């Protein structure tokens, strides 16, 4: 549905992105990861038809973004890094304006605005001036404007930026509800924010796509990932068993209960469980380590310039 | 048409913010003051001369109003980050520019309507033809249209409103001073400069109650060229 081939963008002499290629299937929710300045915003601006690439192609539903920009723009909803809001308008009037701008017929505007407000929990803010809204609400209006015309493809640049934990959870829920009805590309520089929501990840570093694939595939390929266990029993024995799978360490020891972490692929969890029980240890808890995605991300973006091969999804 | 949609929102923006009213009120007050002090001030003049003076001063205020009205048009969108909304919507760059310009023109027309009381006062107390008033206002609207279009172009180039106003003022002063260049330049440049002159060559005829096709054409052409320039600037910005 969305094909990006050899996308390159130069600002003067400086290449913001180089030879970025990926495809996104219909209905997928894709996380676009990268540290600040990695080229995320430039890539998303090109997909959002705000910028033109120096070279390369973007094809959305068979329409080329450079040759047929209008066809592409009809199919996308774009939330830039700063929500494009007019402070002097009310939420409802603003969304109605955006809907008309994006080609929704006058007859359908009211229904679409109500629907977008419903989806983003903005219904009670319909008559409020945008200048009076808090940061969290402004961000929500930003998402509402991106989906008010029901685009097939939603591009959200850092939708959780500046939100508090409760608002981040709300935004994640919102993105989850969009799954299926929209194809979504959502960027972030904070991993856990998107790891739960996305089907697949694209990782960009130094203007180049360094990896793409599911979280599991990336973990497998890069050896990232940990398993956390809690057992009752002999400390040395537990460490000995876990060391067979990878470097292991004790995280906590309290009242005879040991919390340990082993650097190994979470796919090995059944084998780890079996080994611990065979060794006569009481297994109280076993789960994938929460540090997992961070370690993948850091492996990929560390020491800038080291570019691992792309991982097939 | 998307240009009208953009124009409507922009015009509402002028009417919902204080800055629009401040521009309108201050220029109206100054225009009224000048009308009282200079156009009416001289004793025993023919009504048509007083009217002509009114149009003379009003042309200056129309140019100043255009600078202030146009400065926010595109520069503010860029400053506030809302230009990306227009860029990512299925709207032609020409429609963005035209919509912005039309909103400015509507606001300028509102200003001109508010000045109507002055020629009406002359009409009530003296004897002037409606044709003279019509010609003068047509001239003001055309001069304002061209100045606004130059302002739209200036606003497309600038990062913020202050810079936009400055650039526009520089371009308009350069266009006004073309008649001076015409005096010192040799032929055929003198003719070119003379024809380009924003005020000297084209407005006095309207001021005296006449409408000439070449003057109307000049102002319309300048409007088109400036708006075309602004469109190209918007297009170029996508390449940055």
């Amino acid at each position: 549905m969305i094909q990006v081939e050899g996308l390159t963008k130069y600002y003067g002499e400086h290449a913001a992105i180089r030879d970025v290629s990926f495809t996104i299937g219909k209905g997928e929710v894709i996380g676009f990861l990268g540290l600040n300045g990695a080229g995320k915003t430039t890539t998303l601006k090109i997909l959002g038809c705000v910028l033109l690439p120096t070279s390369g192609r973007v094809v959305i539903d068979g329409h080329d973004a450079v040759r047929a920009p209008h066809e592409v723009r009809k199919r996308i909803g774009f939330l830039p890094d700063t929500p494009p809001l007019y402070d002097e308008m009310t939420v409802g009037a603003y969304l109605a304006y955006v809907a008309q701008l994006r080609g929704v017929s006058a007859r359908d505007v009211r229904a679409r605005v109500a629907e977008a407000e419903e989806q983003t929990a903005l219904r009670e803010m319909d008559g409020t001036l945008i200048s009076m809204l808090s940061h969290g609400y402004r961000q929500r209006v930003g998402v509402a404007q991106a989906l008010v015309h029901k685009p097939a493809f939603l591009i959200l640049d850092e939708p959780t930026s500046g939100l508090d934990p409760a608002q981040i959870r709300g935004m994640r829920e919102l993105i989850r509800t969009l799954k299926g009805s929209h194809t979504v590309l959502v960027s972030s520089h904070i991993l856990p924010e998107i790891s739960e929501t996305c089907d697949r990840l694209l990782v960009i570093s130094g203007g180049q796509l360094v990896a793409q694939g599911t979280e599991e595939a990336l973990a497998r390929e890069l050896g990232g990932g940990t398993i956390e266990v809690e057992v009752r029993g002999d400390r040395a024995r537990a460490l000995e068993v876990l060391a067979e799978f990878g470097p292991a360490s004790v995280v906590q020891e309290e009242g005879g209960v040991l919390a340990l972490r082993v650097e190994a692929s979470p796919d090995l969890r059944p084998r780890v469980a079996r080994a611990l029980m065979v060794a006569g240890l009481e297994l109280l808890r076993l789960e994938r380590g929460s540090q997992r995605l961070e370690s993948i991300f850091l492996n990929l973006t560390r020491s800038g310039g080291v570019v691992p091969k792309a991982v097939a999804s | 048409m998307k240009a009208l949609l953009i124009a409507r929102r922009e015009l509402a923006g002028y009417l919902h913010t204080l800055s629009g009213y401040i521009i309108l009120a201050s220029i109206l007050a100054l225009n009224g003051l000048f009308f009282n002090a200079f156009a009416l001030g001289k004793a025993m003049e023919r009504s048509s001369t007083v009217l002509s003076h009114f149009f003379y001063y009003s042309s200056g205020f129309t140019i100043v109003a255009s600078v202030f009205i146009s400065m926010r048009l595109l520069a503010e969108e860029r400053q506030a980050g809302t230009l990306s909304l227009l860029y990512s919507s299925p709207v032609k760059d020409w429609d963005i520019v035209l919509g912005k310009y039309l909103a400015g023109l509507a606001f300028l027309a509102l200003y001109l309507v508010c000045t109507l009381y002055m020629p009406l006062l002359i009409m009530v107390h003296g004897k002037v033809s409606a044709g003279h008033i019509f010609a003068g206002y047509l001239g003001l609207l055309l001069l304002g249209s061209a100045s606004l279009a130059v302002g739209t172009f200036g606003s497309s180039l600038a990062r913020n409103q202050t810079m936009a106003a400055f650039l526009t003022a520089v371009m308009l002063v350069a266009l006004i001073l073309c008649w001076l260049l015409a005096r010192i330049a040799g032929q055929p440049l003198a003719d070119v400069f003379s024809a380009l002159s924003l005020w000297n060559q084209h407005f006095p005829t309207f001021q005296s109650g006449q409408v000439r096709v070449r003057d109307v054409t000049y102002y319309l052409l300048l409007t088109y060229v400036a708006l075309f320039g602004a469109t190209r600037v918007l297009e170029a910005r996508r390449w940055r």
Side-chain angles (χ1 to χ4, degrees), chain A residues 9 11 45 48-53 70 73-74 76 78 80 84-86 88-89 94 97-98 100-102 145, chain B residues 2 5-6 8-9 13 16-17 72 77 80-82 84-92 235 237-240:
Chain A
K9 178 74 183 174
Y11 295 122
K45 275 187 173 169
C49 295
V50 172
L51 283 181
L52 289 164
H70 276 249
R73 287 181 216 163
K74 278 183 203 165
I76 57 166
F78 179 45
L85 309 176
Y86 295 104
E88 74 276 8
M89 295 180 98
Y94 168 73
Y97 169 67
V98 176
Q100 283 173 287
L101 206 57
R102 302 243 174 88
Q145 65 81 26
Chain B
K2 299 278 172 63
L5 181 70
I6 293 170
R8 212 168 56 204
R9 197 215 66 79
H16 287 155
T17 52
R72 61 172 261 163
E77 296 267 358
T82 43
S84 55
L85 170 69
L86 298 172
Y87 270 157
S88 64
S89 300
V91 183
K92 292 192 181 77
E235 281 169 9
R237 194 145 284 144
R238 290 180 193 271
W239 291 105
R240 253 210 301 221

Side-chain angles (χ1 to χ4, degrees), chain A residues 229-251:
Chain A
V229 296
E230 238 176 60
V231 293
R232 205 192 312 266
D234 182 51
R235 179 193 167 104
R237 183 81 185 112
L239 278 170
E240 189 187 322
V241 171
L242 290 178
E244 287 172 25
F245 298 94
S249 57
V250 177
V251 182

